[in-house]
Amino acid sequence: MAGMKTASGDYIDSSWELQVFVGEEDPEAESVTLRVTGESHIGGVLLKIVEKINRKQDWSDHAIWWEQKRQWLLQTHWTLDKYGILADARLFFGPQHRPVILRLPNRRALRLRASFSQPLFQAVAAICRLISIRHPEELSLLRAPEKKEKKKKDKEPEEEVYDLSKVVLAGGVAPALFRGMPAHFSDSAQTEACYHMLSRPQPPPDPLLLQRLPRPSSLSDKTQLHSRWLDSSRCLMQQGVKAGDVLWLRFKYYSFFDLDPKTDPVRLTQLYEQARWDLLLEEIDCTEEEMMVFAALQYHINKLSQSGEVGEPAGTDPGLDDLDAALSNLEVKLEGSAPTDVLDSLTTIPELKDHLRIFRPRKLTLKGYRQHWVVFKETTLSYYKNQDEAPGDPIQQLNLKGCEVVPDVNVSGQKFCIKLLVPSPEGMSEIYLRCQDEQQYAHWMAGCRLASKGRTMADSSYASEVQAILAFLSLQRTGGGGLGNHPQGPDASAEGLNPYGLVAPRFQRKFKAKQLTPRILEAHQNVAQLSLAEAQLRFIQAWQSLPDFGISYVMVRFKGSRKDEILGIANNRLIRIDLAVGDVVKTWRFSNMRQWNVNWDIRQVAIEFDEHINVAFSCVSASCRIVHEYIGGYIFLSTRERARGEELDEDLFLQLTGGHEAF
Amino acid sequence: MGESSEDIDQMFSTLLGEMDLLTQSLGVDTLPPPDPKPPRAEFNYSVGFKDLNESLNALEDQDLDALMADLVADISEAEQRTIQAQKESSQNQHHSASLQASNFSGAVPLDYGTNVAAIGISQYKEDLPPPPADPVLDLPLPPPPPDPVSQEEKEAQAKADKIKLALEKLKEAKVKKLVVKVHMNDNSTKSLMVDERQLARDVLDNLFEKTHCDCNVNWCLYEIYPELQIERFFEDHENVVEVLSDWTRDTENKVLFLEKEEKYAVFKNPQNFYLDNRGKKESKETSEKMNAKNKESLLEESFCGTSVIVPELEGALYLKEDGKKSWKRRYFLLRASGIYYVPKGKTKTSRDLACFIQFENVNIYYGTQHKMKYKAPTDYCFVLKHPQIQKESQYIKYLCCDDARTLNQWVMGIRIAKYGKTLYDNYQRAMAKAGLACRWTNLGTVNAAAPAQPAQLSTGPKTGTPQPNGQMPQAAHSVSAVLQEAQTHAETWKDKKSALGNHPQPGTPRAPQAPKSSLPPPPPMRRSSDTSGSPATTPKAKGTGGGGFLAPPIDFLPPPPPPPPPMDDLELPPPPPDFMEPPPDFVPPPPPSCAGPAGSELPPPPPPPPALAPDSARPPPAVAKRPPMPPKRHENPAPPGGAGGGEQDFMSDLMKALQKKRGNVS
C-alpha cells in the first residue's frame, strides 16, 4: 500500500504523488492528487481517484488519458512502471465516449457519443451499429473541412441537429426490430424522427445552396477531400479530435458488399445520398443523358419518400398481365354462377376513341395539325378522316409496340402533345398527337407508354400510369409552371418540381428549367413504377456504372518523375493519371500486386507487381498513411467476398491498413 | 394446286375444331366456337395462324410435315392433359390419345398420317372401345388416384382443376407459333416450330437435340439481313418469335445455326476486353498472360457486383454520315448509358461529348462487306439499328473500326452495356449445357428436352452432318432440281438400307427410359417422326441421347405400320377402317404430301427403301378410295421437278411462296 509514512510525516516507502485531472483535457479542470508507487496497478489508481473525488456517479466509462504520450491507460493490470509513468505525467481521468457531431452522407448533422479510446475502426463499427448500417468497414470518418470566415453569420439558419447521444446500445448483437425500426430508435418521438432522417431520402437541396457549395474544378481539387481521412488504427483522441467536434461519416471504400434493400434501409439511403451529392457537386462527371436519369430517379425517390410510401407499392407487378389478372379474378369467383362476365372482361380490352389533332412531319409540307378520329385499341393506333369512316380502312394504322413515346407538354401554354417515333421496316415514322386537356392527355399517354412496352390498356398498371401522369402535370402547374430562368427558393421545391435541385450546377447553367423539366419527365417514365428501395438501388447502380466511379484521387510524385501526378485508387486497381490533361497513363491491378511497402521516413510508397514491375511514389496531397490504408482496405474488402459473413476480421484489417511499427 | 392449299386450310380447321372440342368438353366456355367457314381467321385466333401463314411463305415441303407433326403433337398433348383432368373417362381417353398419336406416328407418308390422326382424334373421342392397356404408355400418366376425400371436396377439386386447365388452355391458345427455317452451316436447313415463349436458348437446345453437335458455347442462332448486309447473334435470352416478327413478309433474312467464337469471347478472355487499351505497349503481354484464376476474378469483379462494369472503350471510329456516302472519323466513347462522341472532332475533349446513341431500342449488328456496299474505309463495320427497321434508312447508324480487334471490342462492349449481367447468366447457362451435353452423350439420357416445349423435339434425332431424317427424301424429291442434294439423298438411302438391319438393337435396351420422361406427349411425337421418317437414323444416333426413344415405338405402337409389333395390329381391327373412311369426305392432304402416295404410286427419283414398303401397305386402301385424288397429287411433284418456278401464277398464296423459294434455289 503506497503512502506509508513515519510519525514525522516522511514517506518511508518509495511512493510519490501523482496528480490526475478529472474531466476532459481542460487545464483548469479539478485535480486529485494520489500517492502511488511504481508498482501500483492502473486499476488501483482508478479506484483511488474515484474514492478521492467522492461523488456518486457512474464512472465505468472513465479511463486515464496520458497527454504527453497521447495514450489511454486501458490495461488495468499494468503497473505505472510498466507504462513508464512518472510524477510529471499529465493524466486526465475522463470518459472514453464523448459526443461528436457527425455529418452524415445525407448532409444532416447527428450528435452521438463515439468512442475516443478505441481504434477508429472499432469506433466506426459502433457508430454504424447504433445507426444500423451494416458493413461498417466500408465507412470511415473525415475531419470536417476548415470553415472559412463567415461574414454573415447571423443569416445562416440554425440547423437542426439530431441527437442520439442519450441512446445506449446493448453491446454485441444486432438490435432487434421493433415497429419497423431497430428497437433503440423507438424509445421516443425524437429518436424515431432521427431514424426517419436516417432511413428516408432527403428532399432535393435548394438550388441556390447547390450553386454556392464548393465544387471541384479540377482533378487536384478532388484530391483535397481524401487528405482528411482519419486513421483507422488510432483512436479519435490520438488524432486530436475533441468532444463536440464535427466529423464527416462517409462511405470510404467503393465496394459495397451484399447491398440488400430489405435489411439495409439506412445503408441504402445513406449510400444513395452520398451518390446523389457526389453527382450534384460534380465530384463525379456524368453526361447529360445520365444526369436526366439521375434527376428522374431523385424526383421519383423524393416523391415516394414525401408521400410516406416507403413500402412496396401495391398492384404494380409488371408480370401481372391481363390474363393473370383474369385468373385471379376467376379464382375468386370460382363458386360464382356466371363465369361469362368474367370471360367478357377477359376478352374485351379497353380502347380509346376520340377526336385528336394529328401532325405528321414530312419533307416539304406546311400542313399543321389536323383533326382526325383516332382509335387506340390494344397496341395499335388507327386514325380516320372522321368518325363515320371508322368502320372502314383507316388512313393509317400504327403498331406502337417498341415505339418511342416522348411527351411534349407545356401546362401553362395548355399544350399537350405526344410525340411518337414508331419503328417500321423502312425506318422510323414520326407522328404527333395533340390532346385537348390533361385528362385526355393522361389517358392517351398512358396507353401509348404501355403499348410501347407491348402491353395493352387492360394491363393492371394502366390506371396508376394515368394517375402518375396527372400527378406529374399538376406538379408542373404548381412548381414548374412559373419556372423562370432563375432557381427558386427552398419552399418551391417542397411542392413542385424544381429541376434545378436535381441536376448538377453544370446543367443548371446549360439549360433553362423549362427545358429540363420535360427531359426529366421523359426519363421519369422509365422509372415511375419502381419502389423506393428499387429506385435507390437503381440510382446507386447507375452511379456505379459511371466510368469514374469509385476512384479516390491522391496527388503523388512518382519516383524518377519531376512533376506531380494523380494516383487514382479504385477497388481493383491503381491508376496513374496525368494531372494536367486527366488522361489515364497506366493502370495496375491489385490482382497482380505482390506486395507494397511504406517508407514512413521519406513518405514513400513502394509497390511490387507481378513480373517485377516496381512502382514507387511519394504522396503530396495526403499523407502516405491514407494511400497505404486505401490499398490495404481494398485488399481487405476483397478478402471478405470469400468468407461470407458479418463477422469482421479486425486484426486482418488493422494488419493490412495499420502501420503499428511506425508509431 | 389451288385445291391442295385449301386442303391445308381444311386440315387446319379440322385440327382446330378438334382443339375446340376439347376445350368445350371441359365445360367452361372459354372460347367462342370457331366458325369452320373461314379457316384462316379462326386459326389466327387460337394458334396464330396468321403467323403460320406468313412463315409458310418461307417453307418448303418438308417443313410442312414438321409443322403438321408439331401441330398434331400439340393436340395430342392437349388431349393428354384433358384426360388427366377428366378422371371418369381417363382410361378411354388416354387410349384414344395414344392411339391417335401412334396412328399418326405409324403412317409413313407423314402428311397423310397427320391427316388421319386429326380425324382419328375426333372419332375416338366420341366413343371408343378401350383397347388393351398398354403398360409402357401408361407409366407416364398418373393413375386415377384413390379417393380418400369426400364427394364434395372431390367435386370442388375437380372444378378447380377444370378451371385451372381452362385458363391454361386459354393461355396456350394465345400462344403464337412460328415455323422457322434454320440454315445449318452445311447449307442444309431444318425447320422448327418455335412458340412465342421460347428463347433463343431453348431453340438452341432443340437444335442441339436435333443435330447432335458438341453443344459448345459457341453455337448460336444468327440472323442475317442480306439486304442490309448485316448480321448478329441472337442473345440466348432473346425471344425468338419476337425478333422474327419484326421481319417483313417478303424478307430474305435468314436464321443460321453456327459456331461463333465471338459470342462469349469476353468470358473466355476477359482481359482482352477489360485490360486492353490502357498502357498500349504492355497490352499484348498482359492479354496473353492471364491465368484462369485471374480471369475468374476479373469476371466476377466485372459482372457480379451491384452493377456490371462496362469495358472502357474509346477511340476514333469512322462514322457514316446520315444518308450520305462519306465516312468521317470521330472520337467515340462507350459508357454504360450509351455511346458518346465528339460531333465535330477526332480527338477527345471531355466536356463536349454528345450522346450518339443509347442502347434501349437498338440492336447491334456486324456489317459485312460494307467496304464494297457503302465504301467504308475497312470491312470492320458494325451497325446499330432498331430491330424493326428492315430497309435502308437514315435511322440506321453505321460505324467502322480500324481492325478486327477493335471491332470485336466495340461489339462486345456494347453488348455488355446493353444486356449487362444477363450476358453472363447466358454464358453460364450455355456452359452448363455444354457440360451436361458431354455427360449425356455418355449416359444416353433422354431428358434433355426443354420442359416447356415437348412438341418441338419431334423431328427426331439427327446428326450434325447432313444426315437426313425421314423428311429429307421428300425435300430432295420436290427440290430435285438441285442435283447435288439428290445425290446426297440417294447416298443416304443406301445408308438406310444398310442401317436397317441393326435397327432395333440399339433401341431396345433403352426402352425403359421412355416412360422416364415426365411429359407424356413427347414420346408419341418422337415415335411419330422417327418411325415414320427414318429408321435409318437410329443407328446413327445410337450413342447419343435421342436414341433412347427410338426403340419403344417399334415395340409397342398399337395400330400402325411399323412391322415389328404385329400383335398390336391384330388386336386393333377397328382403327384402320375408322381412319380410312374419312378421307373421301375430307379434303386431300396438302401438296407436300407427295411422298405419301409416292410410296405406292409415284415413281420417285430415289428408290423407296425396302423398309418402308411394308409400311406403305396400309395407306393404299385409303388412296384407292379416292380415285380423283391421285392425279392431282401427280401434279404436285411435277412442277418442281420439271418446270421449277414457272407455274407460280395459278398457285395459292402458299404455293406461290413455295415455288418462289424453289425458284430461288434453282
Side-chain angles (χ1 to χ4, degrees):
Chain A
M1 196 63 191
M4 282 164 69
K5 42 187 168 177
T6 58
S8 63
D10 294 327
Y11 287 95
I12 54 166
D13 56 4
S14 58
S15 67
W16 37 275
E17 286 197 334
L18 178 69
Q19 191 188 28
V20 178
F21 297 90
V22 178
E24 294 164 19
E25 290 169 289
D26 180 1
E28 283 138 49
E30 61 169 311
S31 68
V32 290
T33 309
L34 316 168
R35 199 132 187 110
V36 294
T37 66
E39 276 86 49
S40 302
H41 293 266
I42 298 295
V45 175
L46 288 174
L47 210 64
K48 269 192 189 164
I49 297 171
V50 174
E51 275 171 13
K52 267 266 162 79
I53 297 171
N54 197 18
R55 227 187 292 149
K56 288 250 184 275
Q57 183 184 336
D58 177 13
W59 298 104
S60 62
D61 191 42
H62 280 56
I64 299 170
W65 166 254
W66 184 4
E67 196 190 51
Q68 289 102 325
K69 281 277 174 95
R70 308 195 65 72
Q71 174 179 20
W72 286 92
L73 309 180
L74 294 175
Q75 307 286 345
T76 48
H77 59 281
W78 279 24
T79 60
L80 292 176
D81 279 352
K82 187 163 182 185
Y83 270 117
I85 289 171
L86 300 171
D88 63 344
R90 278 174 64 83
L91 301 179
F92 290 85
F93 181 64
Q96 294 179 56
H97 287 82
R98 299 179 188 185
V100 288
I101 294 176
L102 280 190
R103 183 70 61 178
L104 298 170
N106 65 2
R107 312 274 149 159
R108 292 309 188 100
L110 173 67
R111 179 181 293 112
L112 46 68
R113 302 182 79 85
S115 167
F116 272 58
S117 61
Q118 287 172 309
L120 185 71
F121 185 75
Q122 287 174 15
V124 171
I127 292 171
C128 288
R129 204 162 56 236
L130 181 69
I131 60 179
S132 72
I133 292 179
R134 293 194 308 143
H135 294 290
E137 66 274 16
E138 291 159 5
L139 294 93
S140 193
L141 297 176
L142 300 118
R143 284 173 217 280
E146 281 161 37
K147 288 203 173 155
K148 286 164 196 153
E149 290 296 307
K150 282 215 176 107
K151 284 158 197 166
K152 308 165 202 166
K153 259 191 180 166
D154 45 350
K155 260 194 111 180
E156 236 12 62
E158 202 52 46
E159 183 191 25
E160 185 185 3
V161 177
Y162 292 85
D163 198 346
L164 279 181
S165 55
K166 305 279 188 305
V167 176
V168 182
L169 202 57
V173 287
L177 283 184
F178 180 69
R179 286 198 288 145
M181 64 185 83
H184 59 276
F185 282 111
S186 55
D187 292 347
S188 66
Q190 194 200 2
T191 50
E192 222 168 280
C194 182
Y195 183 73
H196 287 159
M197 176 276 291
L198 286 165
S199 62
R200 290 191 191 162
Q202 300 294 306
D206 175 8
L208 287 173
L209 174 81
L210 207 55
Q211 285 184 341
R212 234 180 20 234
L213 285 172
R215 293 186 305 274
S217 59
S218 66
L219 267 180
S220 59
D221 285 356
K222 289 183 186 175
T223 64
Q224 294 308 315
L225 175 84
H226 298 288
S227 61
R228 309 203 312 264
W229 290 109
L230 293 168
D231 278 358
S232 294
S233 49
R234 294 192 295 154
C235 69
L236 285 177
M237 199 76 167
Q238 283 169 328
Q239 303 185 57
V241 176
K242 299 205 171 48
D245 275 3
V246 177
L247 296 172
W248 286 13
L249 178 70
R250 289 288 184 276
F251 290 89
K252 180 179 182 183
Y253 300 103
Y254 294 86
S255 166
F256 314 116
F257 191 58
D258 186 25
L259 207 51
D260 180 359
K262 293 219 167 56
T263 55
D264 285 336
V266 177
R267 183 169 172 227
L268 193 67
T269 303
Q270 296 304 323
L271 195 52
Y272 157 73
E273 290 283 356
Q274 183 162 338
R276 185 242 290 254
W277 283 99
D278 250 17
L279 287 156
L280 290 183
L281 294 182
E282 298 175 19
E283 290 280 349
I284 186 165
D285 277 344
C286 70
T287 63
E288 217 173 286
E289 289 72 19
E290 287 156 356
M291 195 75 238
M292 296 310 144
V293 175
F294 285 123
L297 281 166
Q298 284 180 72
Y299 164 72
H300 184 66
I301 289 166
N302 183 47
K303 195 180 72 177
L304 290 180
S305 90
Q306 297 285 309
S307 67
E309 223 180 293
V310 181
E312 306 284 309
T316 50
D317 180 8
L320 198 71
D321 60 42
D322 42 4
L323 203 60
D324 287 326
L327 185 126
S328 49
N329 233 335
L330 200 60
E331 274 166 355
V332 170
K333 295 193 179 176
L334 207 139
E335 297 303 320
S337 53
T340 42
D341 56 326
V342 179
L343 291 162
D344 277 350
S345 72
L346 189 124
T347 43
T348 53
I349 288 167
E351 47 181 73
L352 290 172
K353 297 175 184 174
D354 216 335
H355 287 285
L356 294 180
R357 281 179 292 163
I358 287 182
F359 170 56
R360 308 213 58 190
R362 284 201 184 93
K363 274 178 195 163
L364 308 170
T365 21
L366 298 167
K367 284 177 193 166
Y369 282 94
R370 281 205 164 181
Q371 182 101 332
H372 286 282
W373 175 250
V374 191
V375 177
F376 190 3
K377 193 176 181 184
E378 301 201 26
T379 60
T380 308
L381 195 78
S382 324
Y383 61 91
Y384 306 85
K385 207 167 181 182
N386 54 50
Q387 193 169 353
D388 302 336
E389 291 185 9
D393 287 335
I395 299 174
Q396 202 189 11
Q397 202 163 26
L398 297 162
N399 188 349
L400 300 191
K401 202 172 167 185
C403 79
E404 262 180 70
V405 185
V406 185
D408 182 7
V409 175
N410 185 339
V411 181
S412 52
Q414 285 296 297
K415 178 187 172 198
F416 302 101
C417 288
I418 304 169
K419 179 185 170 191
L420 298 171
L421 259 176
V422 188
S424 65
E426 286 77 29
M428 300 286 204
S429 45
E430 238 176 283
I431 182 168
Y432 289 80
L433 307 178
R434 182 157 192 166
C435 303
Q436 285 142 18
D437 54 35
E438 292 178 25
Q439 281 295 333
Q440 192 185 41
Y441 168 80
H443 283 92
W444 285 81
M445 188 67 184
C448 289
R449 281 184 189 169
L450 285 178
S452 74
K453 292 172 198 150
R455 292 187 259 157
T456 70
M457 282 170 277
D459 194 279
S460 55
S461 63
Y462 178 65
S464 63
E465 185 80 46
V466 172
Q467 285 313 311
I469 294 167
L470 283 173
F472 216 112
L473 289 178
S474 69
L475 272 182
Q476 275 198 289
R477 197 169 46 235
T478 53
L483 279 182
N485 299 341
H486 59 88
Q488 293 171 332
D491 49 333
S493 62
E495 40 185 35
L497 166 70
N498 186 344
Y500 280 167
L502 303 173
V503 298
R506 184 156 81 88
F507 300 102
Q508 296 181 14
R509 289 192 296 275
K510 200 166 166 186
F511 298 103
K512 291 176 182 170
K514 66 178 176 194
Q515 292 173 306
L516 275 175
T517 310
R519 293 193 63 179
I520 296 174
L521 197 136
E522 186 189 332
H524 179 253
Q525 73 178 32
N526 291 326
V527 300
Q529 300 296 323
L530 298 178
S531 74
L532 182 61
E534 284 167 346
Q536 286 182 317
L537 204 57
R538 178 78 66 88
F539 191 97
I540 293 165
Q541 282 169 349
W543 174 53
Q544 287 180 308
S545 306
L546 296 175
D548 295 339
F549 162 80
I551 304 177
S552 309
Y553 300 98
V554 189
M555 200 184 292
V556 297
R557 180 166 295 185
F558 279 90
K559 196 175 171 185
S561 170
R562 284 186 167 185
K563 56 175 193 207
D564 287 345
E565 280 169 278
I566 299 287
L567 180 74
I569 308 167
N571 66 354
N572 55 5
R573 64 195 193 276
L574 296 172
I575 310 158
R576 182 174 181 172
I577 302 167
D578 187 296
L579 177 58
V581 193
D583 283 349
V584 172
V585 178
K586 180 94 182 83
T587 301
W588 301 279
R589 298 176 51 79
F590 289 150
S591 57
N592 296 332
M593 194 164 70
R594 287 265 171 88
Q595 59 167 328
W596 78 102
N597 299 298
V598 184
N599 184 333
W600 300 104
D601 298 329
I602 57 170
R603 291 162 57 85
Q604 192 182 62
V605 180
I607 307 174
E608 185 191 334
F609 293 96
D610 283 348
E611 292 157 35
H612 309 290
I613 299 167
N614 285 294
V615 179
F617 51 84
S618 57
C619 304
V620 179
S621 71
S623 88
C624 57
R625 262 209 74 81
I626 287 172
V627 175
H628 163 62
E629 203 173 293
Y630 252 123
I631 296 173
Y634 276 127
I635 304 284
F636 171 74
L637 294 188
S638 70
T639 63
R640 69 191 168 152
E641 243 96 356
R642 279 155 229 147
R644 254 181 114 86
E646 298 276 311
E647 285 302 307
L648 277 180
D649 189 348
E650 190 197 332
D651 290 341
L652 179 63
F653 181 84
L654 293 178
Q655 207 179 317
L656 284 167
T657 61
H660 301 288
E661 305 82 4
F663 295 97
Chain B
M1 275 313 163
E3 234 174 283
S4 48
S5 79
E6 275 170 33
D7 294 350
I8 299 180
D9 289 350
Q10 198 77 29
M11 274 172 55
F12 282 154
S13 70
T14 319
L15 286 175
L16 183 79
E18 186 47 42
M19 285 179 94
D20 188 54
L21 219 79
L22 292 175
T23 320
Q24 284 175 348
S25 72
L26 290 168
V28 182
D29 191 13
T30 48
L31 291 173
D35 179 13
K37 264 302 155 200
R40 291 188 178 205
E42 148 203 322
F43 234 90
N44 191 7
Y45 186 77
S46 59
V47 235
F49 188 56
K50 187 177 141 218
D51 301 289
L52 280 180
N53 236 344
E54 270 170 23
S55 50
L56 279 176
N57 286 322
L59 281 183
E60 288 176 25
D61 295 5
Q62 90 272 25
D63 300 326
L64 281 175
D65 301 336
L67 160 64
M68 290 310 294
D70 286 349
L71 274 177
V72 173
D74 284 353
I75 289 178
S76 68
E77 183 189 349
E79 179 115 351
Q80 294 273 33
R81 263 192 270 135
T82 320
I83 293 154
Q84 287 179 9
Q86 294 174 320
K87 292 171 196 160
E88 64 277 4
S89 59
S90 68
Q91 200 64 8
N92 271 1
Q93 297 270 340
H94 158 228
H95 275 285
S96 73
S98 59
L99 268 180
Q100 164 269 112
S102 26
N103 278 345
F104 161 57
S105 64
V108 176
L110 194 53
D111 314 284
Y112 183 61
T114 319
N115 201 343
V116 168
I119 300 146
I121 305 161
S122 52
Q123 286 182 338
Y124 296 147
K125 268 222 58 182
E126 315 294 294
D127 205 3
L128 189 81
D134 184 333
V136 185
L137 252 184
D138 262 349
L139 273 177
L141 286 175
D147 282 330
V149 289
S150 76
Q151 191 63 23
E152 271 176 38
E153 275 173 330
K154 198 175 125 191
E155 269 173 21
Q157 180 64 32
K159 201 170 179 186
D161 281 353
K162 276 182 193 172
I163 288 174
K164 226 181 193 172
L165 200 76
L167 281 158
E168 231 163 72
K169 275 186 152 300
L170 255 184
K171 268 186 189 167
E172 190 76 21
K174 275 194 164 180
V175 169
K176 200 154 94 174
K177 293 198 174 107
L178 220 55
V179 176
V180 180
K181 189 165 77 174
V182 181
H183 295 251
M184 305 288 144
N185 46 5
D186 57 11
N187 294 329
S188 68
T189 66
K190 287 198 192 309
S191 293
L192 297 176
M193 176 83 100
V194 180
D195 84 35
E196 65 178 346
R197 294 163 304 188
Q198 277 184 300
L199 309 179
R201 180 75 252 161
D202 302 323
V203 176
L204 280 180
D205 289 350
N206 268 351
L207 282 163
F208 287 166
E209 187 91 351
K210 291 192 176 190
T211 57
H212 294 285
C213 62
D214 60 358
C215 302
N216 75 49
V217 295
N218 291 339
W219 284 102
C220 55
L221 281 185
Y222 203 70
E223 60 174 325
I224 289 194
Y225 290 62
E227 190 179 336
L228 293 169
Q229 294 187 6
I230 56 173
E231 53 194 56
R232 67 162 199 134
F233 338 94
F234 279 73
E235 300 298 343
D236 285 355
H237 66 276
E238 278 181 318
N239 185 308
V240 175
V241 169
E242 218 164 79
V243 175
L244 296 185
S245 53
D246 289 336
W247 291 7
T248 52
R249 210 182 145 80
D250 54 344
T251 187
E252 291 174 25
N253 298 357
K254 284 190 235 171
V255 178
L256 273 61
F257 175 62
L258 40 66
E259 282 180 278
K260 280 276 173 186
E261 274 280 313
E262 295 91 335
K263 189 180 182 191
Y264 289 126
V266 69
F267 302 111
K268 291 176 199 151
N269 286 301
Q271 71 280 9
N272 293 347
F273 299 90
Y274 280 97
L275 306 183
D276 208 42
N277 268 358
R278 291 171 250 153
K280 278 135 204 150
K281 278 160 205 160
E282 286 92 340
S283 72
K284 277 209 175 128
E285 289 171 39
T286 52
S287 64
E288 274 139 37
K289 286 179 195 167
M290 184 158 216
N291 61 36
K293 200 180 132 219
N294 280 346
K295 282 182 188 176
E296 201 180 301
S297 69
L298 182 58
L299 280 179
E300 189 168 316
E301 162 188 312
S302 309
F303 286 93
C304 301
T306 336
S307 65
V308 165
I309 297 171
V310 174
E312 285 176 34
L313 266 181
E314 50 187 300
L317 302 175
Y318 295 97
L319 167 67
K320 183 171 178 289
E321 288 193 276
D322 286 348
K324 288 185 197 157
K325 280 189 177 168
S326 60
W327 294 76
K328 290 267 161 68
R329 203 163 167 84
R330 293 281 174 264
Y331 191 87
F332 284 88
L333 175 76
L334 177 69
R335 295 171 75 106
S337 59
I339 299 179
Y340 293 79
Y341 75 134
V342 182
K344 298 217 162 98
K346 294 171 199 169
T347 51
K348 185 181 180 183
T349 47
S350 62
R351 289 229 162 161
D352 18 288
L353 281 179
C355 185
F356 175 68
I357 203 164
Q358 292 184 296
F359 305 125
E360 217 163 79
N361 290 317
V362 295
N363 277 347
I364 178 147
Y365 302 80
Y366 289 100
T368 50
Q369 311 230 311
H370 281 185
K371 201 169 173 177
M372 195 100 109
K373 187 171 166 91
Y374 298 116
K375 298 197 166 54
T378 73
D379 258 336
Y380 308 109
C381 293
F382 65 93
V383 171
L384 293 154
K385 73 162 187 69
H386 192 289
Q388 269 171 272
I389 299 178
Q390 303 285 315
K391 306 255 156 59
E392 292 217 22
S393 147
Q394 53 164 333
Y395 295 94
I396 302 180
K397 306 284 185 195
Y398 298 89
L399 287 160
C400 179
C401 309
D402 288 330
D403 51 39
R405 189 183 173 88
T406 322
L407 173 68
N408 285 330
Q409 284 178 335
W410 275 93
V411 174
M412 185 54 85
I414 292 167
R415 288 170 67 213
I416 293 170
K418 181 170 166 65
Y419 303 109
K421 179 97 177 357
T422 316
L423 213 55
Y424 193 43
D425 295 340
N426 287 347
Y427 170 69
Q428 285 179 322
R429 239 188 112 183
M431 282 294 278
K433 180 75 192 175
L436 275 179
C438 290
R439 246 180 297 154
W440 277 342
T441 323
N442 299 331
L443 295 174
T445 324
V446 283
N447 284 340
Q453 290 84 25
Q456 269 71 45
L457 309 169
S458 60
T459 341
K462 298 174 185 177
T463 47
T465 46
Q467 191 53 239
N469 68 347
Q471 295 157 354
M472 274 305 269
Q474 294 167 4
H477 176 78
S478 53
V479 197
S480 56
V482 186
L483 189 68
Q484 201 192 346
E485 238 180 282
Q487 279 170 349
T488 34
H489 170 71
E491 280 165 27
T492 50
W493 277 115
K494 277 178 217 155
D495 274 4
K496 284 193 179 188
K497 274 183 235 162
S498 60
L500 250 160
N502 49 5
H503 170 208
Q505 279 137 24
T508 4
R510 288 197 200 102
Q513 283 175 351
K516 255 197 206 166
S517 163
S518 55
L519 297 157
M525 268 321 297
R526 284 166 172 283
R527 251 176 267 136
S528 68
S529 43
D530 292 343
T531 45
S532 69
S534 59
T537 51
T538 314
K540 291 279 173 198
K542 95 174 112 176
T544 58
F549 270 136
L550 293 177
I554 290 113
D555 290 342
F556 62 76
L557 271 187
M567 290 244 306
D568 290 352
D569 255 358
L570 293 175
E571 281 168 353
L572 275 176
D578 253 328
F579 68 77
M580 285 316 160
E581 258 166 22
D585 51 271
F586 190 63
V587 275
S593 68
C594 45
S600 52
E601 295 175 22
L602 286 175
L612 295 180
D615 293 356
S616 47
R618 204 167 292 279
V623 176
K625 281 192 178 182
R626 302 171 288 163
M629 286 348 279
K632 292 211 164 167
R633 295 196 185 174
H634 267 290
E635 284 173 21
N636 270 346
E647 295 172 5
Q648 286 140 329
D649 298 64
F650 64 88
M651 293 233 175
S652 70
D653 269 3
L654 168 67
M655 285 311 287
K656 261 186 211 162
L658 289 177
Q659 289 298 336
K660 195 176 158 196
K661 268 282 176 259
R662 268 174 221 152
N664 288 343
V665 171
S666 57

